[in-house]
Amino acid sequence: MKIGDHVWHLEPFGKHIWRGRMEAGQLLALARAVKGEGGQLTALWGSDDRHLGAGFGIHLAFVTSVGLVWASCILPSDVPVYPDFEPIFPQAGRMQRATFDLLGMSAVNATDERKWLRHGAWPADAFPLRKDFEGGRHPARDVDAYPFVRVEGEGVHEIPVGPIHAGTIEPGHFRFSIIGERVLRLEQRLGYTHKGVEKRFEGMNLATGAKFAGRVSGDSHSAYAWAYCMAVESATTSEVPLRALWLRALFLEIERVANHLGDLGYLGNDVALSFGFMQFWRLKEDWLQLAARQFGHRYLFDCIVPGGVATDISESGMAEFAFESGRIEAEVSELKVIYDEQSTLQDRFANTGICTPELAARLGLTGLPGRASGQARDARAQFPQPPYDQCKVTMATHGRGDVLARAEVRFAELFESLRLIREFIKNLPDGEICAPVNPAQAVCEGIGWVEGWRGEVLVAIRIGADGKLDRVHPHDPSWQNWPLLEVGMLGNIVPDFPLINKSFNLSYSGPDL
């Protein structure tokens, strides 16, 4: 396969997915080639492979012109170091820091080596994702003196916000450096919701792993569950019934609609348009209750399983979803007119929290915020899995990169998801909804890649010879997008932070694992 000016030895690993193993220097050259052709880094993670007769593994997933490329390099056990990818892909920085915290693998000459996930919760010389990690050791109690970047100068003040917030939101620390109300710099610190997800996967059976994967970031349950199951099915070369694939896509779009309805309501609320909040959340509640009636859970938990899906949709259910999607589409159209004509809302949204297309491309902004900043990438449209290859997705993009653009893209994606739901229901094929997964005969690996409502969700797995999970890495698009929120705040006033933050609506749990 040719990427840039070089032909790379990559093996087909599924539809629109390629696999390669190479030396560290080649991996660095591949990263440069991907960047040169306009591709992006989607994920970076490590693995302890010593029990398999190797050392440590460094893994990178790139989105290229031909699809997803998963490239890996084996590192020596005694010195597990690898090239620093942050100069090529700035979004790699936090992923590299997390990889050191969890596995003790270092990027050579990295400019930022501050801890990211550890927070003093385990000894500095212990690495939880190593196979010889002793989980019973007493946690470290060292002082967590995180070295925030200081902005100096006359009239500069700092406002620390969080990690505990006034509301039912997850913890995250935001350090504002300001003059008056204008923000000179915003620095985030996350990792407070670190739950040891990747370690907990080890030794699980495949079915339990599916339940667990869907709970990595609960508002993206269907995206994570589908990506995990896709990885299991690719690793075991298992076939999924066609009807099950269509139902998975239906669940994914139902999830997308629910989240977009909620976010559009919150955006109205953040500019004191409580009417918008109440109306959108009324619609979201109607939608969630419909999902619960038809599939047994408001957020579709455990509907996607290895080999297919666990529940079907009835004729009456299809009729109800078709009716409700049409009704909600009509009501949202009316609400959009109100949003468009509400002068205070438009004034607060426009030119607020700008991420220019140039910065978005350089720093790797992805998903819905990326598309609102001119980054025309949507795996459903460009690298479609069934049934998206038969029901074409119209990608919504915008070039302004402000809160208004992100709201406009959210409206457009909501309308498109409602259309897709009706299309799926109309053309849903007959057949089985689940098939047995082939047992793993030896150590095998797989990867799943799904365009969730926030952006690309990726899950990479390795199954041991005993059929149990040996290594699982789930990746949330918020990894790439949190740093762009820092950029979007520059020059804005502090009171606009909740609005800008909500326009991105990133996951705390997804990156913290």
Side-chain angles (χ1 to χ4, degrees):
M1 177 195 300
K2 190 172 183 180
I3 300 176
D5 297 325
H6 185 72
V7 176
W8 302 89
H9 298 291
L10 303 172
E11 303 172 357
F13 205 65
K15 191 172 184 180
H16 306 302
I17 300 177
W18 305 81
R19 183 75 172 101
R21 296 173 178 82
M22 53 196 69
E23 299 298 323
Q26 293 177 299
L27 196 57
L28 192 62
L30 174 61
R32 293 195 181 103
V34 170
K35 185 68 171 182
E37 70 158 23
Q40 284 291 351
L41 173 70
T42 294
L44 181 153
W45 69 99
S47 61
D48 183 355
D49 303 339
R50 292 174 297 172
H51 62 301
L52 301 176
F56 292 86
I58 187 68
H59 308 270
L60 291 90
F62 303 100
V63 175
T64 72
S65 59
V66 296
L68 186 77
V69 172
W70 176 12
S72 302
C73 173
I74 295 297
L75 309 176
S77 300
D78 53 341
V79 187
V81 298
Y82 58 92
D84 179 16
F85 293 96
E86 188 174 4
I88 306 170
F89 294 108
Q91 63 266 42
R94 292 180 179 181
M95 303 179 207
Q96 292 178 167
R97 291 162 64 188
T99 299
F100 178 80
D101 288 346
L102 296 174
L103 282 153
M105 300 165 54
S106 302
V108 177
N109 297 323
T111 57
D112 191 348
E113 295 182 334
R114 293 175 295 173
K115 58 189 176 182
W116 183 247
L117 291 177
R118 195 171 69 84
H119 285 273
W122 56 84
D125 60 347
F127 304 103
L129 287 188
R130 291 191 176 188
K131 297 298 183 182
D132 55 5
F133 175 72
E134 298 179 21
R137 289 181 61 183
H138 196 276
R141 298 297 181 191
D142 54 328
V143 176
D144 185 19
Y146 188 78
F148 285 96
V149 176
R150 297 293 300 273
V151 177
E152 305 289 345
E154 184 177 353
V156 177
H157 300 275
E158 280 190 349
I159 302 177
V161 178
I164 304 304
H165 301 279
T168 54
I169 61 175
E170 293 180 288
H173 184 87
F174 302 93
R175 184 69 60 98
F176 296 86
S177 298
I178 63 168
I179 287 185
E181 285 194 324
R182 294 286 168 184
V183 177
L184 299 176
R185 178 182 175 85
L186 167 62
E187 187 173 4
Q188 306 153 357
R189 192 179 183 205
L190 305 177
Y192 296 95
T193 59
H194 178 73
K195 303 176 290 292
V197 166
E198 292 179 284
K199 189 66 175 180
R200 184 66 184 85
F201 270 113
E202 293 179 8
M204 281 187 177
N205 62 48
L206 303 185
T208 304
K211 292 177 179 290
F212 195 52
R215 289 159 171 80
V216 168
S217 189
D219 58 15
S220 297
H221 175 88
S222 292
Y224 273 99
W226 190 354
Y228 169 87
C229 290
M230 187 188 300
V232 168
E233 290 144 10
S234 69
T236 58
T237 62
S238 301
E239 295 292 330
V240 179
L242 186 59
R243 183 178 178 89
L245 292 174
W246 282 67
L247 287 169
R248 286 179 176 182
L250 176 65
F251 298 153
L252 190 69
E253 298 305 322
I254 291 171
E255 178 172 271
R256 191 181 304 269
V257 168
N259 283 291
H260 287 341
L261 287 171
D263 282 354
L264 288 167
Y266 273 133
L267 285 170
N269 192 60
D270 281 340
V271 295
L273 185 62
S274 56
F275 169 82
F277 174 76
M278 297 304 297
Q279 295 305 312
F280 275 108
W281 272 76
R282 172 180 60 83
L283 295 176
K284 178 176 181 179
E285 181 61 25
D286 290 345
W287 191 250
L288 294 177
Q289 289 186 17
L290 174 58
R293 285 196 303 272
Q294 295 301 325
F295 303 116
H297 197 286
R298 290 162 60 88
Y299 291 97
L300 306 175
F301 275 31
D302 305 327
C303 288
I304 298 176
V305 297
V309 296
T311 185
D312 207 339
I313 186 170
S314 64
E315 290 292 334
S316 62
M318 289 191 282
E320 192 170 8
F321 264 105
F323 174 80
E324 284 296 303
S325 62
R327 179 184 71 85
I328 287 176
E329 182 178 58
E331 292 204 35
V332 171
S333 296
E334 294 181 17
L335 288 167
K336 187 177 188 306
V337 172
I338 294 172
Y339 271 39
D340 290 344
E341 294 179 349
Q342 224 281 339
S343 58
T344 301
L345 180 146
Q346 291 291 313
D347 181 64
R348 290 288 305 279
F349 281 16
N351 300 313
T352 302
I354 295 174
C355 288
T356 65
E358 295 74 22
L359 265 178
R362 184 157 64 87
L363 301 182
L365 189 63
T366 190
L368 185 149
R371 291 188 286 276
S373 292
Q375 308 307 298
R377 293 198 308 275
D378 186 328
R380 298 175 302 162
Q382 294 161 316
F383 307 109
Q385 303 285 343
Y388 292 109
D389 55 353
Q390 298 181 46
C391 302
K392 303 299 183 183
V393 175
T394 300
M395 190 191 317
T397 59
H398 207 292
R400 290 175 59 105
D402 56 4
V403 172
L404 183 59
R406 290 187 282 275
E408 288 290 333
V409 171
R410 207 173 293 278
F411 271 112
E413 293 204 357
L414 173 56
F415 290 135
E416 180 66 1
S417 290
L418 291 168
R419 183 194 70 82
L420 285 169
I421 287 168
R422 293 194 294 270
E423 191 79 7
F424 293 156
I425 289 171
K426 178 181 176 182
N427 299 294
L428 186 64
D430 295 328
E432 299 296 322
I433 63 170
C434 198
V437 172
N438 298 326
Q441 303 296 334
V443 176
C444 55
E445 62 183 11
I447 197 166
W449 180 39
V450 171
E451 185 74 32
W453 70 275
R454 279 196 179 92
E456 299 154 347
V457 170
L458 180 145
V459 178
I461 72 167
R462 180 168 63 213
I463 303 172
D466 60 357
K468 302 291 182 66
L469 294 170
D470 183 65
R471 176 76 174 98
V472 177
H473 177 70
H475 178 89
D476 194 274
S478 301
W479 274 106
Q480 290 95 298
N481 291 352
W482 273 114
L484 270 297
L485 177 60
E486 294 180 340
V487 174
M489 270 304 300
L490 300 182
N492 290 270
I493 61 175
V494 174
D496 276 339
F497 174 68
L499 175 62
I500 297 170
N501 190 19
K502 180 51 65 177
S503 74
F504 281 83
N505 194 4
L506 305 177
S507 173
Y508 293 83
S509 289
D512 288 353
L513 296 178

